[in-house]
Each structure stands twice: as structure tokens, then as C-alpha cells.
Amino acid sequence: MNAKLPAMEDAIGRGDAAARPRRTLADLPGPPGLPVLGNLLALHPDRWHLEFERWWRAHGDLFVVRMGRQPVLVVVDGELVRDVLQRRPAVFRRVRAIEAVSREADMVGLFSADGDAWRKQRQLIHPTFHPRHVEGFFPSIRDITGRLRELWARAADERAARDVLGDLMRYSVDVTSSVAFGRDLNTLERGADALQEHLQRVFLGLNRRMLAPLPYWRYLGLPADRAYDRALVAVKRLILELVTAARREIEGGADRPERPRTLLELMIAARDGEDPRARLSDAEVYANVLTMLLAGEDTTANTLAWILYYLGSRPDVQARAREEVDRVLGGGLIPTLEQCKRLEYTAAVTQETLRLRSAAPLLFLEANHDTAVGDVAVPAGAGVVALTRATGRKPEYFGDPESFRPERWLGGAPSTLPHEPRMALAFGGGPRVCPGRAMALLECAVTVGMVLRSFTVHLADHTAPVRERMAFAMQPEGLRIRFTRRASA
């Protein structure tokens, strides 16, 4: 019997449904709440993640929050978080509200689909984000980065502080639209495009509906909801026109391009074997193009904004990164693809920013059937929140976890501090790890390289607080940057 104990303990640690859990959700600690409402009133929509992390520090790595009458398991222990993510989509799925709201918008793509629908889309779409395809888009990314440089150079000459998040949102829209379907919106120079304005309304509407405790819009249409509906119709019409035109060109015989030139064309050309039916429908292509436009704009822009915040806050980090960029780029102003790969300390700055300021600091899931997380029984339909950002702030995984220390990411750097890169989960983990990771990291490398080669970065006001705000993804609020030109640039 003793020989079986380690195996049983390993099974429980993995959350194996065959293990016999020792605790229920009712046995776990958690914040006190109100009758019927539970802890709902304590969760401000803009600050959900901060409240969950405050509760983590008070109640430990496994605790329960009550969303109304429903208990929700919150998981911070790194091994258990990784286990939960690894068991998607068979055992755990995204909360059904996300898929329901996405289905109403006809955009059940990789982000919101689950089960067999997700498996099909992943098999066909994941290869389109392979680094060799992403690197093929680098010339467009580099050109658009040059526009961003010119915008900030003019701001430097005028000594004007910039709302860099707004600039980076436009930059990300330009990059994403260019690589997604070959349409250069050039919002950096022309100002907001109609598509971008519609996307912003769609983005805000999706965020509002996914976080709403009740689907009020099905019974009461507020002005914001009507604006969302109109914007969604406009975006869908435009994207489906692009999908139809691209499909016609790809399947159009002798004049068709030798190889796909955009992510849209890659999605249309993708198929599972020779069966013409085993391909993405126009609706599935539309859903994933729209998802990419929304997610690409927000997550990459927010990450870049937080990187600028740290460069402005830490002159020592900025100086070390600048020395590397000067050495690698020589006389160039914007890094080439090969130079991006050699910017090791700059990549470490990005990784440390992602650890501390992840755009997705928590994930909302639910159990498909009765299972266990560690030694805790989780019934079918129960909610599970994985605090992926908090996992990266645990001292047993990252020494001195609240400090910004990019050198921890440099291979071979001597350190006595714990460092567990697999516990940094900014892009999620398991089968549903973010497919856009390579694209996001490439955009960060070329943009940060450009900034360090051309400018010195300053916080416009060191006394003004920069707060975290959740708006589907986590973003800096109140961040303004002042750029000064470098003499060598």
C-alpha cells in the first residue's frame, strides 16, 4: 500500500480526476461577502485583477470568491495553474459568457471557441502564425515602425509629452491590418480610420458585455449598445468583402499568387489534407481576422506602453539597453530582422515587463465535468480563475519578485535568486497558448530598438501616478512620455 502513495499524491497534484480529493470548495478560505451578492460589489470592472491579487495575499494560493451565490475557485499556485491550462479544452473551458457574447457577434474564433470547434480552428490557423510566416511580414512592420519614429521625432522637436498608449494603439492597428489583409490604414499619419473607430466601439462593447453580470442588452438597448451593434455591422461587412476578394484571388486559376501574402490568405489557403470541406469557412475566417485585429491592437500596444514606462522610470535599465542597441545597430535607426534577434537585453526588458504587467493577468474558466484541482474537488460548471500574473510574482519562482530586474532573463547570468521562466504565463499556457506570441515579441523588439536608438525616454511627470486599468486587457492609465532626440540619431 505504501508503494501506491506517491502515485496517488502525484495524481492529486496534477488535479487528476481519478484521484480522490480531500477538500471541497466549501472548505477553502476566502473574502467575506454579502448574502445573495457574495463578493460582486467588491469587484470594480476596471480593477478586477487587483482585487483578486489582494485576496490572494490575504488567503493564499487556493481560495474561493463568491460571484453572487456561485463559489469560484481562484488558483495561484504555479504548478496547479499550469495543470489547469494544460487540461483545456477537455476538462476546462473559457467561461460560457465569453463564447455566448462572441457568438452573438458572429466571431467565435480561436479566442472564444471551445471543444471541437476550437480544435479544428487551431489545427488550421496555428501554422499561419509560425515564425517563418511572421518574419515574412517584417518589412511591413519595419516600415510602420519608421512612421512611429517620425511621429515621436516631431514630438521631441516640439518638446511635447505624448499619450503613448494612443500612439501605440494606432501603430498596432496599422501593423495588424497590414499583415492581416494587406490594407495599410496608416492611422499614424492620417489619423483614425473609420475601421479603427468601429473596432474601438466593438472592443469596448465586447468588454462591457463579457463582464456584465446579466445580459441586459437582450432586453434593454442602451445608446452604447446601439453604437456597438452599428459598428459591428460595418466591421463585418468590410472584413467579409476582403475575405471574398482574397478567396476569389487565391482560387482564381493561373493568375493566383504563388504563395499567400497575408494572414488572411494563409487562413483561406489552410486546409486539413486534400478534402476541400476541411477548411475554414468565411465565417470562421472573419471571426479570426476580427479577433486578431482586436487582440493585436490592445495587447501589444499595452505591453509596449509599459516597456516605455519602465525605461522612463529606470535610467539604469535604459542606459544598458541603449548601449546594446547602439552596438548591434551601428549607424542604423531601425533594427533589421537579424538585429532584432541579437538584442538580448532588450528582449529581457520585454520579458520582465510581461512578467510584471501582463496584458492578461487572469483567466476566467469553468469545469466541463467533475474534476479536481490539487486536492480540491471542482464540480461540473464551477468557475475557476487562474491568476497568471500573480504566479509570476511568487518569490519561490522569481526572487525579489516585485522588482524590475531584466537581467534575470539573461542566460548564464550569475544569480542566487530563484528563476522559473515556465511560471511566467503572460501568453497563457498549454494547448491554448496565445498563437500571436511570435508576432507580439517581434513588434516589441523592433519598436523598442527604434526608440532606444533614436531617443531618450522620460516620464512626463514623475509625480503623476500611472495606474493599472482593465479594459478587456490590462493597460496603463495616466502614462505620458516625453522624448528627446539623441545626438547620434
Side-chain angles (χ1 to χ4, degrees):
M1 182 174 180
N2 289 342
K4 297 181 179 179
L5 283 178
M8 177 65 77
E9 290 172 357
D10 287 346
I12 290 174
R14 293 193 308 270
D16 193 324
R20 187 169 296 173
R22 297 192 295 267
R23 294 187 290 174
T24 69
L25 297 181
D27 297 324
L28 297 181
L34 298 172
V36 182
L37 294 176
N39 302 111
L40 281 174
L41 293 184
L43 293 170
H44 190 282
D46 292 348
R47 305 282 190 269
W48 278 42
H49 65 301
L50 296 176
E51 198 60 42
F52 274 104
E53 289 177 356
R54 186 179 70 81
W55 288 331
W56 157 53
R57 292 184 176 92
H59 301 290
D61 286 354
L62 279 173
F63 62 94
V64 166
V65 170
R66 284 174 171 76
M67 311 293 281
R69 297 180 184 272
Q70 299 300 317
V72 174
L73 176 65
V74 185
V75 187
V76 186
D77 175 270
E79 297 295 348
L80 294 182
V81 169
R82 286 174 56 83
D83 170 61
V84 167
L85 298 182
Q86 188 64 42
R87 290 193 286 155
R88 296 188 297 169
V91 180
F92 296 99
R93 54 165 293 145
R94 292 194 189 277
V95 292
R96 295 177 192 275
I98 292 177
E99 184 174 359
V101 170
S102 299
R103 192 171 299 282
E104 289 177 344
D106 293 330
M107 56 169 291
V108 183
L110 270 182
F111 171 76
S112 53
D114 246 292
D116 291 340
W118 173 81
R119 290 185 184 90
K120 172 194 173 183
Q121 293 188 43
R122 182 186 186 278
Q123 185 169 352
L124 292 172
I125 292 174
H126 239 266
T128 69
F129 288 94
H130 190 281
R132 71 173 180 272
H133 292 313
V134 171
E135 291 179 0
F137 301 131
F138 185 77
S140 295
I141 298 173
R142 195 167 186 263
D143 287 346
I144 296 168
T145 304
R147 290 182 201 152
L148 183 62
R149 179 185 179 278
E150 293 303 313
L151 176 68
W152 286 346
R154 290 193 295 273
D157 292 341
E158 297 167 2
R159 300 182 179 180
R162 295 294 302 182
D163 168 17
V164 289
L165 181 58
D167 293 339
L168 290 166
M169 289 286 189
R170 290 190 291 276
Y171 167 77
S172 295
V173 164
D174 288 353
V175 168
T176 307
S177 62
S178 180
V179 304
F181 43 77
R183 175 171 172 174
D184 186 357
L185 299 179
N186 194 7
T187 61
L188 281 169
E189 292 180 337
R190 300 173 186 164
D193 179 89
L195 174 60
Q196 186 190 15
E197 292 180 349
H198 291 320
L199 286 173
Q200 194 62 26
R201 291 192 184 96
V202 169
F203 186 85
L204 293 173
L206 285 170
N207 183 57
R208 183 173 58 253
R209 292 185 179 188
M210 287 179 181
L211 293 178
L214 295 171
Y216 70 88
W217 58 91
R218 297 174 189 166
Y219 314 101
L220 175 65
L222 301 176
D225 294 292
R226 291 193 290 272
Y228 163 80
D229 291 336
R230 290 192 298 269
L232 192 61
V233 169
V235 169
K236 184 174 183 179
R237 183 187 304 116
L238 173 61
I239 293 178
L240 284 177
E241 287 174 359
L242 294 169
V243 170
T244 300
R247 191 181 293 279
R248 186 183 305 119
E249 185 173 357
I250 286 176
E251 299 172 352
D255 294 333
R256 66 186 179 189
E258 293 183 7
R259 60 184 180 84
R261 298 161 298 186
T262 65
L263 284 172
L264 172 59
E265 292 179 357
L266 284 165
M267 288 183 197
I268 292 172
R271 65 174 65 188
D272 184 9
E274 295 302 317
D275 185 352
R277 296 168 297 179
R279 60 174 58 181
L280 296 170
S281 67
D282 284 359
E284 290 168 328
V285 173
Y286 158 74
N288 283 287
V289 170
L290 180 54
T291 298
M292 185 168 45
L293 284 169
L294 294 171
E297 172 188 12
D298 202 55
T299 55
T300 304
N302 290 331
T303 299
L304 283 166
W306 281 117
I307 291 174
L308 294 179
Y309 166 77
Y310 281 115
L311 292 176
S313 303
R314 292 284 301 275
D316 58 323
V317 170
Q318 185 172 175
R320 182 171 176 179
R322 182 188 301 120
E323 184 279 328
E324 176 186 69
V325 167
D326 288 349
R327 173 167 40 82
V328 171
L329 269 63
L333 295 177
I334 302 175
T336 65
L337 179 59
E338 290 306 313
Q339 288 170 341
C340 284
K341 296 176 181 179
R342 292 163 53 198
L343 296 176
E344 296 178 359
Y345 186 73
T346 301
V349 170
T350 299
Q351 291 294 341
E352 186 71 342
T353 301
L354 288 166
R355 182 183 71 84
L356 287 170
R357 306 286 186 171
S358 168
L362 72 174
L363 297 174
F364 293 91
L365 311 169
E366 66 181 68
N368 289 323
H369 51 72
D370 290 352
T371 184
V373 174
D375 68 342
V376 177
V378 179
V384 176
V385 177
L387 297 192
T388 51
R389 199 258 295 265
T391 296
R393 289 186 166 192
K394 289 172 63 64
E396 57 266 45
Y397 303 140
F398 295 95
D400 191 15
E402 296 302 319
S403 294
F404 187 79
R405 298 169 57 99
E407 59 273 14
R408 73 172 86 234
W409 295 94
L410 298 177
S415 177
T416 59
L417 298 176
H419 182 65
E420 294 285 347
R422 67 194 189 97
M423 294 302 178
L425 299 169
F427 293 100
R432 297 199 65 149
V433 67
C434 176
R437 180 178 183 273
M439 177 80 76
L441 293 177
L442 184 58
E443 287 183 58
C444 288
V446 67
T447 304
V448 177
M450 173 276 289
V451 167
L452 291 167
R453 185 67 187 85
S454 299
F455 307 106
T456 300
V457 178
H458 314 270
L459 297 183
D461 183 354
H462 281 270
T463 66
V466 177
R467 298 186 176 90
E468 295 184 357
R469 176 176 179 268
M470 278 297 294
F472 190 72
M474 195 277 287
Q475 60 184 220
E477 184 177 57
L479 176 62
R480 295 183 67 79
I481 294 291
R482 182 171 285 108
F483 299 96
T484 58
R485 285 187 188 252
R486 295 182 58 201
S488 59

